[in-house]
Amino acid sequence: MTESPKVTVKGTGVVAGVAFAEAVWVRPRPELPQGGEVVAEDARDAEFERFEAAAGTVADRLELRAAGAEGQAAEVLTATAGMVKDRGWHKAVRKGIRGGHSAEYAVVAATDKFVAMFESAGGVMAERTTDLKDVRDRVIAELRGEAEPGLPQVEGEAILFADDLAPADTATLNVKRIKALVTELGGPTSHTAIIARQLDIPCIVAAGSGLKDIQAGDVVFVDGSVGTVTTGVEEAEARAAVDQYRERAEIVAQWKGPAQTKDGHRVQLLANVADGNAARIAADSQAEGVGLYRTELSFLSASEEPSVDDQAAVYSKVFKAFPESKVVVRTLDAGSDKPISYATLEDEENPALGVRGLRIARNNKELLTRQLDAIAQASEGREGAAATWVMAPMVATATEASWFAEMCRSRGLTPGAMIEVPAAALMADTIMPFLDFVSIGTNDLTQYTMAADRLSPQLAYLTDPWQPAVLRLIQHTCVVSRDHNVPVGVCGEAAADPLLACVLVGMGVNSLSAAATAVAGVGAQLAELTLEQCQEVAKVAYESASADEAREAVRERIESYRGA
Ligand code: PEP
Ligand code: MG
């Protein structure tokens, strides 16, 4: 290993774990042509043929890789190859070349047109623009005879660095070789983070431009739980940390629920799901039920509101996966980063602070009542432990809570609310009397407490649920919920962090809901601490002055319990 001074770059750790290996960088995207040069009229047919040959080569290459891949990876590659062959896109390129543009510039112009169209359609379509730009870059590189942008061939073990990763890149990651992902951009909900979570490899996003100080070939130590990338770490020290982490992973793999602290205090561990498929996968994990079913995710591309029967059919797939366990359904959280064409207001100046979640129902009550009818219909016959709990997103006042609760109760549904607006946490004593449960949405609670957009990579240091301001609101909510005897859960990303989970349980949280893949890690960690120790770390955390200090202090305290 090279002897170099230590350099630490800090980003946001989104998947815990440590890795030690050489850095490799995703090959850069090509510089885009600015246009301006004119292709002579008699050379334009040949220019178009040059484009078609390049696009054909790129599509063949992607299809070949699709044939060698499996499952979701194969689907993503086939879909990307399909985009390269898209007739509408080829037509737009031909038009540009006929107008005198070079093939490279015509590709840029045609792609810009499609990107603008997709962006104005919003929702899932807007998310496809990364794929379109990826296709553009591959074809331009091919036209210029440059290496295909994207993943390099990796011989030994490596840590992959990138500005951000395109879906086609992440789909073919060789997890046997790539031990961690680090990106300059992105956020906790970015594509990179989602894939890393699925693959269960350490991942850091939003590491900023400082990441460029790390060169391909540098040997680096990555710690996904604190979000640091460090060069110049002693090899023996780094290997020991990796071994220790592996031992921990073994313990996690052995863990069996139901979850409880070392002294037998029960904590319900549940899964966050988006649809029936995710619920079936969750049912195979150690999750005891569903703590957050994000219903809006099924309707992102629907242009019209589905009928009550159609909605009920969608919901019942989730209930079927957990016929005898708790399922918490969240009513439509449309708006802001999840626009739904039939429910979201257009042209809001500030949609994250706008008419989203329950607020939509103020002027469109029937939208909510039809959804509640569909949930009631789908959950017919569910009772006891499997009774259907329904919660509203973005509740801010007691009036909203009581209005929502009344509608649920009249349909035999158990009413609750998300606590994700700081006002709801502060006014929890006025809200709780109307409800049978609350669930703290730490993603939005953090965004609104810190006044920091949860999707902004530059603000990822603020949108950190370890922020003591957020922890104090959670602590307050837990105290009030105990006074009112109302169960309190956490269903934001915070519930996926094993150390933070101990803090939350110490504050009095009764259930934690996170990605199914996070459940065992949280359960294994809780099993190592007594309830009193959880309470101690909770105090350490919310009395800290910063998120980093809280995380570090809790980590040290938990280490000390292990050593004791
Ligand atoms: C949250 O805000 O923490 C939450 C769970 O809801 P979502 O991430 O869907 O906004
Ligand atoms: Mg939310």
Side-chain angles (χ1 to χ4, degrees):
M1 179 197 150
T2 47
E3 280 296 320
S4 47
K6 266 195 188 183
V7 175
T8 300
V9 181
K10 176 98 179 61
T12 303
V14 288
V15 182
V18 295
F20 180 65
E22 251 187 39
V24 292
W25 274 89
V26 169
R27 274 191 296 269
R29 304 267 141 204
E31 288 264 324
L32 298 183
Q34 299 301 315
E37 81 272 43
V38 178
V39 175
E41 208 161 339
D42 60 355
R44 290 178 191 168
D45 283 349
E47 189 68 356
F48 183 62
E49 276 167 26
R50 199 166 72 82
F51 158 73
E52 292 230 287
T57 307
V58 171
D60 287 351
R61 217 181 274 141
L62 287 164
E63 276 168 352
L64 196 71
R65 279 159 61 195
E70 281 175 16
Q72 210 187 4
E75 279 169 31
V76 170
L77 288 165
T78 308
T80 309
M83 280 190 189
V84 185
K85 295 196 285 192
D86 183 80
R87 287 167 71 177
W89 186 62
H90 278 237
K91 222 166 125 189
V93 173
R94 184 166 56 207
K95 201 167 155 208
I97 294 175
R98 284 205 176 134
H101 293 318
S102 66
E104 288 86 342
Y105 186 70
V107 165
V108 172
T111 309
D112 284 350
K113 186 178 135 199
F114 278 82
V115 165
M117 249 158 56
F118 279 34
E119 274 170 357
S120 68
V124 181
M125 293 298 275
E127 285 168 22
R128 304 293 298 277
T129 55
T130 308
D131 310 29
L132 285 173
K133 290 179 190 162
D134 179 50
V135 161
R136 172 198 66 195
D137 294 346
R138 286 172 199 273
V139 173
I140 289 179
E142 185 59 31
L143 281 165
R144 290 179 178 158
E146 293 171 1
E148 193 177 17
L151 287 186
Q153 283 296 335
V154 176
E155 298 306 330
E157 293 192 343
I159 292 170
L160 188 67
F161 284 72
D163 297 348
D164 207 354
L165 288 171
D169 293 334
T170 45
T172 48
L173 277 185
N174 181 343
V175 263
K176 291 209 183 83
R177 302 238 154 113
I178 302 292
K179 295 295 162 194
L181 299 181
V182 184
T183 61
E184 183 182 331
L185 306 170
T189 48
S190 65
H191 190 79
T192 307
I194 291 166
I195 291 284
R197 230 171 257 131
Q198 268 168 19
L199 298 175
D200 200 21
I201 54 175
C203 178
I204 297 171
V205 296
S209 54
L211 206 59
K212 294 273 162 32
D213 293 341
I214 293 175
Q215 310 294 324
D218 285 351
V219 179
V220 294
F221 180 73
V222 167
D223 188 336
S225 42
V226 286
T228 52
V229 185
T230 313
T231 61
V233 178
E234 277 286 325
E235 177 155 8
E237 186 193 333
R239 299 253 176 248
V242 172
D243 288 348
Q244 196 187 13
Y245 183 78
R246 282 210 187 110
E247 273 167 34
R248 185 103 222 108
E250 287 278 303
I251 295 173
V252 169
Q254 304 292 324
W255 180 81
K256 291 270 168 296
Q260 54 183 3
T261 58
K262 198 172 175 181
D263 54 340
H265 172 75
R266 276 280 283 126
V267 180
Q268 220 173 21
L269 295 189
L270 306 161
N272 290 353
V273 304
D275 53 25
N277 198 21
R280 279 189 296 279
I281 293 170
D284 284 337
S285 77
Q286 304 267 347
E288 292 178 54
V290 171
L292 169 62
Y293 169 22
R294 290 181 163 103
T295 56
E296 66 281 353
L297 297 185
S298 296
F299 307 119
L300 287 178
S301 50
S303 53
E304 280 173 18
E305 183 192 341
S307 68
V308 169
D309 286 348
D310 287 350
Q311 286 189 54
V314 171
Y315 306 146
S316 58
K317 289 187 185 144
V318 171
F319 292 133
K320 240 195 204 148
F322 286 96
E324 285 166 9
S325 339
K326 170 169 155 184
V327 173
V328 182
V329 185
R330 177 173 73 185
T331 56
L332 220 55
D333 186 20
S336 190
D337 55 326
K338 289 174 288 195
I340 292 185
S341 63
Y342 63 83
T344 312
L345 290 197
E346 273 175 21
D347 301 330
E348 279 190 292
E349 285 269 319
N350 210 342
L353 299 179
V355 184
R356 63 167 289 204
L358 183 65
R359 298 165 181 193
I360 293 172
R362 268 189 86 221
N363 289 323
N364 194 349
K365 186 176 172 193
E366 287 69 33
L367 184 71
L368 176 60
T369 52
R370 283 190 291 267
Q371 185 178 25
L372 292 175
D373 287 342
I375 296 169
Q377 182 177 322
S379 62
E380 243 160 59
R382 290 175 66 83
E383 51 194 32
T388 300
W389 296 27
V390 183
M391 64 183 178
M394 294 295 291
V395 169
T397 67
T399 311
E400 287 174 348
S402 102
W403 182 69
F404 179 76
E406 165 73 42
M407 279 186 273
C408 290
R409 288 195 204 285
S410 65
R411 289 167 175 81
L413 301 166
T414 304
M418 289 194 70
I419 302 290
E420 55 182 350
V421 176
L426 291 167
M427 300 295 285
D429 60 326
T430 66
I431 288 178
M432 302 256 182
F434 298 106
L435 303 170
D436 288 4
F437 72 101
V438 293
S439 183
I440 302 174
T442 48
N443 306 337
D444 277 316
L445 186 61
T446 307
Q447 136 160 294
Y448 296 126
T449 303
M450 303 308 294
D453 184 344
R454 62 193 266 188
L455 299 178
S456 163
Q458 288 97 325
L459 300 180
Y461 74 102
L462 290 175
T463 48
D464 179 338
W466 281 91
Q467 286 289 350
V470 178
L471 298 180
R472 289 181 191 195
L473 286 173
I474 297 174
Q475 162 75 4
H476 175 74
T477 307
C478 288
V479 169
V480 177
S481 87
R482 207 162 26 237
D483 290 348
H484 287 80
N485 206 14
V486 169
V488 56
V490 168
C491 64
E493 287 300 304
D497 175 338
L499 299 189
L500 193 45
C502 297
V503 168
L504 297 170
V505 167
M507 287 179 178
V509 165
N510 316 109
S511 65
L512 296 160
S513 189
T517 47
V519 166
V522 169
Q525 181 61 71
L526 284 171
E528 288 180 9
L529 265 60
T530 62
L531 179 59
E532 198 181 329
Q533 287 171 332
C534 290
Q535 287 159 348
E536 279 168 14
V537 293
K539 193 159 181 295
V540 164
Y542 67 73
E543 285 181 352
S544 294
S546 72
D548 285 345
E549 190 185 312
R551 189 187 282 109
E552 212 27 60
V554 167
R555 175 200 285 282
E556 269 175 24
R557 183 63 74 95
I558 291 181
E559 280 297 322
S560 78
Y561 296 147
R562 278 196 195 122

